[in-house]
Amino acid sequence: MNTKLSIIIPVYNVEKYLHRCMDSILANNGINNCEIILVDDGSKDKSPIICDEYAKKYDNIIAFHTKNGGASSARNYGITKATGDYIWFIDSDDKIDNCIEYFINIMKNEAPDIIVCQSKIVNENNDIYDECKYTIPKGNYTSEELMSTLKKHPKSVIFCPQYYIVRRNFIIENSLYFYEGIIYEDELWIPQLLLKSKKIYYSNKNIYYHFMISTSVMHSTKMEKCGRSDFIVATELFKIFDLSNRKDLAFLRDRSANIFLQAVWKISNFLEEKENINRALPLKNSYFIKTRFKSLLYFLSPKAYLLIHRHYAKNEKR
């Protein structure tokens, strides 16, 4: 029985880049074992027309058109329409190498809950560089084994959903849908994948090209919205970690502490608005020395933490 991969692509105003993305996927060996689900998220350019053209030309491509609800909403909609054994979210302004056949063989032979891959960054000058270096061996890991490894090699994974191929039933059984209405939803989604999975395959394939476009949502969103999303992500994760009763989540807790501390300086009136928040929260969850230092400063004096951050941020802009 063939293993089927569902590729879900949220589409929003990407008429300049959608052909590049789609053609890179269609050039793959193993594409016949895939369905491609295009979710047009209320685009106002020619993206809907391009989606329909691909769907008309290829039997394994389906195009859906929805009201604009953001990337999380589009991904969640795609999950409800997917029929594959695994799901891979690919951004419509990115592209991939010839890798699908390789990943399908892993799905067949290893049957993991998650496959982790890595990416290359492409900046606006078309310079290409690795987003992270491989510092851990490829192969199967339990959640506990990976948590232990990431304490020593924390930069071996990137928290973007495009770099995680996930078993569809694993998503459904654990209700691992994207939190809608915020940005940085990937920072909330991926820790839950790593926490709940029984078997993770870490791949050494650097096959995803992430294009940095200054007009994209992540480059244009206002600081206040970023901060409020950070706050939701961090506080939700702290609850999830506490409920898990696991003692091996130092890597994930430290990352969440940093997200919380970012919310402190991104939200304009954080100290007044969040005055009842436990100041020990980031300190309780920090692990690495740099995070512990920032968390301790925030614990001792939130005002001093803000002043020092503003001082360093101002100097960095010079």
Side-chain angles (χ1 to χ4, degrees):
M1 186 175 181
N2 289 332
T3 300
K4 184 178 178 181
L5 173 64
S6 295
I7 297 175
I8 297 173
I9 306 175
V11 174
Y12 182 71
N13 292 350
V14 286
E15 62 178 15
K16 293 181 180 179
Y17 314 109
L18 188 53
H19 284 294
R20 178 181 66 196
C21 174
M22 292 299 296
D23 293 346
S24 76
I25 295 170
L26 291 168
N28 267 252
N29 297 331
I31 191 63
N32 291 335
N33 290 328
C34 298
E35 65 174 1
I36 300 174
I37 299 172
L38 294 164
V39 183
D40 164 40
D41 188 38
S43 297
K44 300 185 184 304
D45 63 359
K46 295 181 181 178
S47 296
I49 296 172
I50 297 172
C51 290
D52 288 339
E53 287 174 349
Y54 275 102
K56 184 177 181 180
K57 186 175 180 180
Y58 296 93
D59 291 338
N60 59 342
I61 298 178
I62 311 169
F64 296 98
H65 303 279
T66 64
K67 293 182 179 179
N68 180 248
S72 292
S73 175
R75 289 181 183 130
N76 287 339
Y77 185 85
I79 292 170
T80 67
K81 300 300 181 181
T83 61
D85 301 285
Y86 285 80
I87 289 175
W88 189 6
F89 300 101
I90 294 179
D91 280 358
S92 52
D93 52 0
D94 294 334
K95 71 175 186 177
I96 62 172
D97 275 336
N98 189 358
C99 59
I100 288 177
E101 189 172 57
Y102 166 80
F103 287 130
I104 287 178
N105 285 331
I106 293 174
M107 298 169 204
K108 288 180 181 178
N109 298 328
E110 306 294 342
D113 292 323
I114 307 167
I115 300 171
V116 182
C117 63
Q118 301 296 346
S119 79
K120 296 180 183 293
I121 293 289
V122 186
N123 65 23
E124 291 186 322
N125 295 322
N126 285 322
D127 300 319
I128 302 174
Y129 55 92
D130 291 345
E131 191 163 5
C132 75
K133 295 181 178 179
Y134 304 117
T135 52
I136 63 177
K138 69 175 181 177
N140 290 310
Y141 293 81
T142 64
S143 176
E144 292 78 8
E145 288 169 345
L146 190 61
M147 290 302 101
S148 177
T149 302
L150 290 176
K151 284 172 62 177
K152 302 175 183 177
H153 307 283
K155 295 184 179 181
S156 292
V157 295
I158 303 295
F159 278 52
C160 294
Q162 307 96 294
Y163 314 153
Y164 295 77
I165 301 173
V166 188
R167 188 165 56 83
R168 183 171 65 90
N169 284 343
F170 173 73
I171 292 175
I172 295 170
E173 291 164 3
N174 291 283
S175 296
L176 294 174
Y177 299 95
F178 290 87
Y179 195 114
E180 298 186 17
I182 63 170
I183 54 176
Y184 305 138
E185 69 283 348
D186 43 1
E187 295 280 1
L188 180 55
W189 188 68
I190 292 166
Q192 294 182 76
L193 296 185
L194 300 179
L195 178 67
K196 296 177 181 294
S197 61
K198 302 298 183 184
K199 188 176 182 180
I200 302 166
Y201 189 92
Y202 184 90
S203 166
N204 64 349
K205 291 291 185 182
N206 200 336
I207 47 74
Y208 192 100
Y209 291 81
H210 179 49
F211 286 78
M212 304 299 290
I213 302 170
S214 60
T215 55
S216 70
V217 171
M218 295 309 296
H219 289 274
S220 61
T221 305
K222 292 183 178 179
M223 187 73 71
E224 188 78 15
K225 184 174 181 180
C226 293
R228 296 191 179 279
S229 295
D230 281 333
F231 183 78
I232 291 171
V233 168
T235 52
E236 287 294 316
L237 285 175
F238 290 148
K239 294 175 187 176
I240 291 167
F241 299 154
D242 289 343
L243 286 172
S244 74
N245 291 318
R246 282 180 56 173
K247 308 299 182 184
D248 62 341
L249 303 180
F251 166 75
L252 293 178
R253 285 185 177 274
D254 187 271
R255 190 179 182 92
S256 301
N258 272 299
I259 294 172
F260 181 95
L261 291 170
Q262 289 175 29
V264 174
W265 57 262
K266 288 179 180 177
I267 297 175
S268 57
N269 60 338
F270 184 91
L271 299 186
E272 293 79 12
E273 186 178 333
K274 310 294 184 183
E275 60 182 358
N276 294 322
I277 293 298
N278 184 355
R279 291 201 320 214
L281 198 56
L283 185 60
K284 172 187 172 183
N285 288 278
S286 60
Y287 173 76
F288 297 110
I289 293 175
K290 186 176 180 180
T291 312
R292 290 192 64 80
F293 176 79
K294 292 188 294 183
S295 299
L296 180 60
L297 178 59
Y298 174 74
F299 172 73
L300 294 174
S301 174
K303 289 184 179 180
Y305 169 78
L306 279 175
L307 286 172
I308 291 173
H309 177 271
R310 287 168 183 163
H311 171 74
Y312 280 101
K314 185 177 180 179
N315 287 340
E316 286 179 359
K317 291 180 179 179
R318 291 178 180 176

